[in-house]
Each structure stands twice: as structure tokens, then as C-alpha cells.
Amino acid sequence: MAEPSPAPAENRRASRKAPAPWGDIVFKGSTTAFAFLVLALIGTICVVLYSKGHLAISTFGFKFLWNTAWDPVREDFGALPSIFGTVVSSLLAILIATPISIGIAVFLTEMAPPWLQKPVGLGVEMLAAVPSIIYGMWGLFIFAPIMARTVQPWLKSTLGFLPLFQGIPMGIGMLTAAIILAIMIIPFIASVSRDVFSLVPAMAKESAYGLGATTWEVIRGVVIPHTRSGLVGAVFLGLGRALGETMAVTFVIGNAHRISASLLNPSNTIASTLANEFSEATSPLYISSLIELGLILFLITTTILALAKFMLWRIEAQVKGAPR
Amino acid sequence: MSAGKISGGRYMRRKAVNVAMLVLSGASAAFGLFWLFWILGILILRGAPALNWAFFTQLPTPPGMAGGGLANAIVGTLMLTVLATAMGVPVGLMAGTYLAEFGRQTALGRVVRFVADVMTSAPSIVIGVFVYAVLVQPMRGFSGFAGAVALAVIMIPVVVRTTEEMLKLVPNSLRESALALGAPYWKVVFRICYRRVFGGLTTGILLAIARVSGETAPLLFTSLNNPYWNFDFTKPMGTLNVTLFNYAMSPYDDWRSKAWGAALLITLGVLCTTVIARLVVSRTQIGRS
């Protein structure tokens, strides 16, 4: 059964018999109005961002998307460095976070003894609850100095011939931001993966065990193929989170409007540009350009999150539709 | 005979791969917890010394001067959170009630559910930009009210979805028995369904509060900051989160130490609210079974 069973109020035949008392009409009308309000909210966000960013959109046109300049004095603005930083830091974070998150989900569903499941699950949940700004502060004062002293010089000395690892190891920069982003999105990917893993019918797993498969073989041969689109959804959800993450990145990315191949160099993301410059922007064109950046970020993240949601719905429908 | 030997070797290899993968999965769980304990440890180590009586009772000192506290920011955070809760929770509850009671199969229900899910993870800084554009710019000034609106917008989708999930747990037979006794539907929902899942609804609201009380990005250009006492929602209002951001970026040692204190306080507040929320829901689940 893919569809949830209707609430009694949705049962048309019952409601046709007698006219609803006025209290129920008010009740249905007002809850419906509030449901519309939620829809109106997201619509208003899009319209307002577009209209307030219109000055920048009409001044720069599509060139805004690939212009690399960001010069408040000459009023020449382009989004490319911020978009580049946003996308690269998030993709790196996903690269780091995905295997670890799936590992955690496997641990929680298939491996951990019951007495360990709860505390570990709670710990992972706590990791998600720690506010973004705390990650940022810890990243700037504790983690970045460690990166500068140990990890980055080591990367430079072993892999320094690659353009990815050149420049001065300052601690802050793209790589540090990506690692912190990865830590922040691990709990989200892990908890969604755990949920989709638990959708796998026990019978399928037990059949594989009955054929003599090891735990890992069951995971690789039954659980993961069963939940592939759900896992993709989980990763997309993490990606959506990482793209819009603000405070943690603002602390550690270094805030430089430039595109650099090296992961050790400071960079910028859309969110960190907004956090740093919005309250200081004075001219209308400057503010409008920042709002257009916000619109771009909103469109990118909602697209990614919508895709994630779509994937997760598909797996739920698939599991509920299949005979158990 | 040799076939048996080969299959034995293969068996050992499969066993070894299995153990290796399971160890890896355990290691990744340990990896996740490692960061949690590292961050919490550092927060306690650096934050606890900053928390003294003055921290909770006095106003901030001018830049570079030692002493003082963040009393105004603590009160500001509480005021903003309360106002945001008062605005966001009723909207979320009502919309969530629609989803569970009228919108399980309607097109509007599906769309709202989808939008709420997407908005739960939408970047909070964009919400800040939005509120800046609709409230701060037209009113020509940063205000505590604008900050509270931004937080309320972030709370709404969280409350919508938890309310819906909770109300769906109420068995239809319960609704039907109340309806059969002649109760109007609104009374059935508010008096019976809500009461049945009261713990779950509380959890949803507490989680939404925990979520917004850690938010900084949407406050940066809505409520801004204020180093003085302010109980007027039409003026900029100091909050712990924004103060922490400004202090951490400052060059003064005393301010940085206060920033660690604020960080510890915020984290304790958020984590305690989260844990309490979990306890409430697990207790009601025990009650249900």
C-alpha cells in the first residue's frame, strides 16, 4: 500500500450525509489556510529575492554567473568565485562524508549489539544538533592550527607536485572548510541511510543469510542494491545541507574572492559572502548583487533537496508496493 | 580433494573481507563520535572558565576592557526564541493538522508536504536575506522583530512535519468512536487526537526550538546586535549567537574567552533541549505500547 489510509474527515461518503457543523467548516477552512500559508511562504521567498535582486540581474545579465570580479569600489560584481567555492567545498565534503556515513549506518543497523545502538545513535544525533557556529569557532581556533602545523605541510611535501596542494599552509582555506562540512553532514546522511536500510524486508536478508552469506555479503548483495535510490537521496540531502551551510564555513574558508586550483588557498562560498558582506553593503547595486547571490543559492539548494526528496519517495513507494 | 581446499581458502577470504568491512564500519562510527567528544571537550575546557556570575548579570564592556558579561545577549536570545516560537508554532501546528486530517491524499497535501520537507533543509542565511528584504529594508532599520520572524520561518516546516507524523499515529478507530458519540470533528482533533500525542507534539516543538536557538546566520542582518539592554522589539537586539560571532572574530583575548563561554552556553542549551525532546517522545511511546 503506497497511499496512507484516509482520515475519517476524508471519507467523502460519510461527510455527504449531513451538513458539517459550522465549527468543522471553520476548522477545515483555517487549517487549509495555514497549509496554503506554508506554500505562499516559499513562493514569496522566490518572488522577493527575484524582485530585490532585479537591479543586479538587469545590470549584469547572465554575465553575473561567470564574471570573476567582485569589486565593491568599482561596482563590478560576479558570482563565479562564490559559486565555485560553494560547489567545490560541498562536493569535497560529500566525498569524505559518504563512505563514513554509510559505514555508520551499517554499524547501527547490522552490526552493533543492541546495547550499543542507542548511545551511538544518540551521539550521532548530537553531532547534528551542535550549532553551525560552534563548528566554525572550533574550526578556526582548534582545527585550523592543527591543519596548518601537521596535515597541510605533509600534503605539501608528499603531494605538493599536484596543483591541488600548493600555496602556503595557513590552516584556513578550502580543504579545512570541506573537512568541517563533512563532519557536519555525516549525521544527516547516516541517519537517512539508517532509515532506508531498515526498509529492507527482513525476509530478503534472511534468505541471503540462509544461503550462507556473510554479513558484509548481505549488505553488499542485498541491502545496498535494495536501497540504492534511497542512498542517493541521502547523499543529495547531505549535499543540499553542505551547499547552504553558513557559519562554520565563514569562520574557516578565509574569505577571498578568487578561484584557485589549490585546496590550501582561502576561498569563498555564496553563504559566507552573504554572512560577511551583507550588513556592510551600502550601495543599492551592491545589496542587490548580494540578494541575487542569495537567490542563486536558494535555487541550487532547493533543486538538490527536491531531487533528494524525490529519490527517497521512490524507495519508500517501492518498498511499500512490493509484497513482503 | 583440491576442490575442498580451494573452497576452504575462499571461505577464509570471505570471512576476512567480512571482518575487515565490519571493523571499518565500527571505525567510522568511532570516527563520528570522536569529533563530537573533541568539540564538546574543547567547549567545556575553554568555555567553563568564562562562565562566572558577571557573565550572566553584567553588560558587555567596551572593546578591549576586561570584565563585564553578556546578560543582555542572554536575555535577547531568550526573548527572540520565545517570540519566534509564539509566531511559528501555531502556524506549524495548524498546517500539520491539515496534512494529517484533511490532506493525506489531496494534491495540496502532497505539495505542502514536499515544500515543508525541502524548506526544513533550506539554507537559513537565505531566510535572513528574505526577511531583510521584506522587513528590515521597508522599516528602515534592523529590529528584534525581524530576527524573530526569520527564526519563525525556520521553525514552521519542522513543526509542520512532526505534527503530521504524530497525528498520523492516532488510530482512526479512536477518531471514529468520538465521532460516533456526536463530537464535532474539530473537537475530536483538538481534545482527543492532540491529547493522545501530546508528548510527540511537545517533542516536535522542542526540536524546532533547539534548531533555531543555535541559528546565527539569519540573525546577522535582521536583529543585528546590541551591546546594551533592549526590551524593544523594534530596535536591534543583542543575541548570544551574533555576539559570539563578533567576539570570536575580535582581536581581544577577553572577548574571545567570552565567546567560548557563549559557545558553551548555546551548545548546552541546544543539546539539553534535544535530549529532553527525545526523552519526552520515548516516554510517550512506552505509554502507548
Side-chain angles (χ1 to χ4, degrees):
Chain A
M1 257 224 343
E3 285 293 337
S5 66
E10 288 182 285
N11 193 331
R12 289 217 188 94
R13 214 181 298 156
S15 62
R16 208 182 289 151
K17 275 191 179 158
W22 62 269
D24 281 354
I25 298 173
V26 173
F27 176 55
K28 185 170 183 185
S30 54
T31 53
T32 313
F34 278 107
F36 267 113
L37 186 70
V38 173
L39 277 195
L41 203 57
I42 197 167
T44 319
I45 292 175
C46 288
V47 171
V48 165
L49 291 180
Y50 182 81
S51 70
K52 296 281 178 176
H54 192 260
L55 180 62
I57 295 171
S58 60
T59 309
F60 301 117
F62 281 110
K63 197 178 145 245
F64 188 74
L65 293 178
W66 56 82
N67 185 2
T68 56
W70 189 267
D71 187 346
V73 180
R74 283 178 35 241
E75 298 225 305
D76 184 15
F77 299 108
L80 193 62
S82 297
I83 296 178
F84 175 83
T86 307
V87 171
V88 171
S89 61
S90 300
L91 288 181
L92 260 180
I94 283 290
L95 225 61
I96 303 169
T98 302
I100 295 166
S101 312
I102 293 179
I104 292 177
V106 167
F107 180 79
L108 287 177
T109 51
E110 308 291 337
M111 193 192 145
W115 58 269
L116 206 58
Q117 267 172 12
K118 216 162 192 185
V120 173
L122 189 70
V124 173
E125 221 165 85
M126 297 279 237
L127 202 59
V130 172
S132 166
I133 192 165
I134 307 297
Y135 280 100
M137 196 175 173
W138 168 83
L140 179 65
F141 292 118
I142 309 291
F143 189 60
I146 292 175
M147 289 289 286
R149 274 200 308 272
T150 56
V151 178
Q152 291 186 343
W154 176 79
L155 279 173
K156 235 173 102 74
S157 64
T158 50
L159 297 164
F161 58 91
L162 291 170
L164 286 177
F165 302 108
Q166 278 168 9
I168 310 151
M170 285 187 292
I172 54 175
M174 188 78 94
L175 184 64
T176 309
I179 294 175
I180 290 177
L181 272 179
I183 302 168
M184 295 179 73
I185 59 177
I186 281 173
F188 291 99
I189 307 181
S191 80
V192 178
S193 309
R194 180 183 60 178
D195 291 348
V196 298
F197 280 171
S198 63
L199 289 175
V200 177
M203 200 192 285
K205 283 193 287 191
E206 278 158 20
S207 315
Y209 279 121
L211 291 173
T214 61
T215 308
W216 167 243
E217 284 162 353
V218 170
I219 292 162
R220 227 192 66 169
V222 178
V223 174
I224 289 181
H226 231 89
T227 53
R228 190 163 286 147
S229 77
L231 292 180
V232 175
V235 170
F236 271 55
L237 187 76
L239 182 60
R241 285 261 168 189
L243 289 167
E245 191 45 66
T246 310
M247 298 317 293
V249 177
T250 305
F251 270 98
V252 296
I253 200 157
N255 301 306
H257 283 286
R258 65 165 185 210
I259 295 175
S260 151
S262 169
L263 299 178
L264 305 186
N265 281 339
S267 175
N268 223 340
T269 68
I270 296 180
S272 73
T273 305
L274 287 172
N276 274 312
E277 301 184 21
F278 206 93
S279 50
E280 284 156 21
T282 41
S283 80
L285 186 59
Y286 193 1
I287 292 181
S288 180
S289 303
L290 286 170
I291 294 180
E292 192 186 345
L293 270 186
L295 177 65
I296 294 171
L297 177 63
F298 190 64
L299 293 179
I300 299 176
T301 48
T302 41
T303 311
I304 297 283
L305 292 170
L307 280 175
K309 204 57 225 158
F310 177 71
M311 300 278 191
L312 291 170
W313 270 7
R314 225 176 55 176
I315 175 114
E316 266 171 42
Q318 194 183 319
V319 169
K320 282 181 188 158
R324 299 239 166 174
Chain B
M1 272 335 297
S2 67
K5 237 182 183 174
I6 287 170
S7 80
R10 189 182 290 161
Y11 179 69
M12 290 316 285
R13 209 183 64 215
R14 285 172 54 206
K15 271 281 193 214
V17 169
N18 186 42
V19 168
M21 291 325 261
L22 294 186
V23 166
L24 271 182
S25 91
S28 46
F31 180 82
L33 295 181
F34 160 74
W35 300 100
L36 179 71
F37 287 120
W38 188 6
I39 292 172
L40 292 183
I42 290 285
L43 275 179
I44 292 168
L45 215 64
R46 299 217 170 181
L51 296 180
N52 50 28
W53 184 244
F55 186 92
F56 292 98
T57 54
Q58 291 185 11
L59 284 178
T61 49
M65 260 171 70
L70 300 177
N72 67 322
I74 296 172
V75 173
T77 298
L78 292 176
M79 284 170 68
L80 275 190
T81 313
V82 169
L83 183 62
T85 311
M87 290 191 292
V89 166
V91 178
L93 277 179
M94 289 298 269
T97 306
Y98 170 82
L99 288 184
E101 302 297 334
F102 303 108
R104 290 198 195 174
Q105 293 170 326
T106 61
L108 176 65
R110 274 192 206 110
V111 177
V112 170
R113 196 169 292 127
F114 188 78
V115 164
D117 270 348
V118 168
M119 270 178 61
T120 307
S121 306
S124 57
I125 190 144
V126 177
I127 310 287
V129 173
F130 163 69
V131 173
Y132 174 88
V134 291
L135 281 177
V136 176
Q137 245 181 2
M139 284 167 42
R140 298 189 180 284
F142 301 99
S143 65
F145 178 69
V149 170
L151 295 185
V153 171
I154 295 168
M155 286 178 101
I156 288 171
V158 183
V159 179
V160 168
R161 291 296 273 140
T162 47
T163 305
E164 188 204 356
E165 293 302 329
M166 288 304 141
L167 285 178
K168 271 185 177 166
L169 292 178
V170 179
N172 270 346
S173 55
L174 191 64
R175 291 191 182 87
E176 282 156 3
S177 18
L179 285 171
L181 290 174
Y185 201 70
W186 63 271
K187 238 181 201 170
V188 173
V189 172
F190 286 134
R191 293 279 180 79
I192 292 166
C193 298
Y194 270 37
R195 196 169 289 174
R196 176 74 186 248
V197 290
F198 185 75
L201 296 179
T202 315
T203 298
I205 294 167
L206 284 176
L207 286 180
I209 292 174
R211 166 91 200 272
V212 297
S213 48
E215 284 286 356
T216 310
L219 300 178
L220 287 175
F221 28 86
T222 51
S223 62
L224 206 68
N225 203 2
N226 192 338
Y228 305 104
W229 286 112
N230 172 29
F231 300 103
D232 181 356
F233 274 112
T234 60
K235 298 214 173 73
M237 200 172 251
T239 53
L240 269 180
N241 311 24
V242 179
T243 307
L244 154 57
F245 181 55
N246 293 339
Y247 276 26
M249 293 296 201
S250 80
Y252 313 113
D253 282 341
D254 185 57
W255 276 20
R256 284 192 182 174
S257 127
K258 286 212 172 48
W260 283 110
L264 177 60
L265 205 57
I266 294 171
T267 313
L268 279 182
V270 170
L271 293 188
C272 287
T273 317
T274 313
V275 170
I276 291 171
R278 292 284 160 218
L279 290 180
V280 170
V281 82
S282 62
R283 245 183 58 195
T284 53
Q285 266 163 359
I286 289 165
R288 199 178 296 123
S289 69

